[in-house]
Amino acid sequence: YTQMEFYWAYADYKMGMGLAKELYKYVIKKTLGTLKFKIHGFDIDFGKKWEVYDYRTIVNKYAKVDVFEASLPEMEKQLQKLGVDYDKRGFNKTRAIDNLFKYCRKNLQGPGFLINSPIEVSPLAKRDEKNPKIAQRFQVIVAGSEVGNGYSELNDPLDQEERFKEQQKLR
């Protein structure tokens, strides 16, 4: 397991997506000598235009649930219908949303960026100014797996305090 974390003053998640894309392409080319390869049954080409996946659209398409409108019982019923094995201890809306996406993620070839994550699953990301239900966040998706994560840093202390309180309740 290898992880890299970076901070970029005065940059937002969209600028981070551009940097992440260039970093991935550079490392893959240096490591494999090519930007094209097969992995987990997917033909991956880091040289092509990266996909942009909308969280709500993807979950709606593959799991038939609107994560912004469905209740926790509705999400749990759908997880059961889909045969998703999930931990029932401390189960809540945040975990339901995350389990639904993980079920859907395996269908995404990539390389691509998942955007517009529900704020519930992104406690450290800044809220989108136009839609406060979503986070300014991206996840790098390749061959059905999340291989990277980035976001605009939450710098509103009142919003951050409220989210920390919500996270504590979930414990």
Side-chain angles (χ1 to χ4, degrees):
Y1 175 76
T2 302
Q3 178 176 324
M4 179 188 77
E5 183 171 337
F6 69 87
Y7 295 89
W8 187 0
Y10 309 107
D12 66 6
Y13 78 108
K14 291 178 183 174
M15 295 167 81
M17 287 167 58
L19 179 59
K21 182 172 152 180
E22 293 308 311
L23 286 170
Y24 276 81
K25 287 171 68 173
Y26 178 83
V27 170
I28 289 165
K29 181 72 170 172
K30 288 290 185 180
T31 304
L32 303 176
T34 181
L35 294 175
K36 295 180 180 182
F37 56 91
K38 290 182 184 283
I39 186 169
H40 302 299
F42 290 99
D43 290 316
I44 304 298
D45 181 358
F46 274 84
K48 72 173 189 161
K49 182 179 180 198
W50 286 35
E51 300 291 330
V52 177
Y53 305 109
D54 176 74
Y55 200 107
R56 182 184 213 169
T57 302
I58 292 300
V59 176
N60 228 340
K61 179 179 179 179
Y62 293 107
K64 308 296 186 231
V65 175
D66 184 335
V67 293
F68 291 99
E69 300 299 327
S71 67
L72 178 59
E74 290 169 329
M75 287 188 238
E76 189 165 22
K77 182 178 179 183
Q78 191 62 7
L79 284 167
Q80 292 168 354
K81 183 177 176 182
L82 295 168
V84 176
D85 186 29
Y86 60 94
D87 189 351
K88 292 168 186 56
R89 295 172 296 162
F91 191 71
N92 56 50
K93 187 173 183 179
T94 301
R95 291 189 178 137
I97 292 169
D98 190 50
N99 277 289
L100 285 164
F101 176 69
K102 286 178 179 172
Y103 169 83
C104 300
R105 181 180 65 199
K106 65 186 175 208
N107 296 291
L108 306 179
Q109 178 170 317
F113 294 110
L114 176 72
I115 61 168
N116 300 330
S117 300
I119 204 72
E120 292 93 340
V121 296
S122 306
L124 298 177
K126 185 181 279 189
R127 285 180 193 274
D128 186 79
E129 293 170 6
K130 294 177 185 164
N131 182 352
K133 290 182 176 184
I134 63 173
Q136 292 184 3
R137 176 184 182 194
F138 68 87
Q139 293 165 269
V140 179
I141 306 293
V142 178
S145 295
E146 176 191 343
V147 296
N149 178 43
Y151 48 87
S152 300
E153 198 76 33
L154 175 59
N155 56 9
D156 177 336
L158 299 177
D159 190 5
Q160 191 172 56
E161 179 185 28
E162 187 60 35
R163 291 200 225 173
F164 283 156
K165 287 178 181 175
E166 284 300 313
Q167 291 289 307
Q168 193 60 37
K169 286 179 192 175
L170 296 176
R171 291 176 155 250

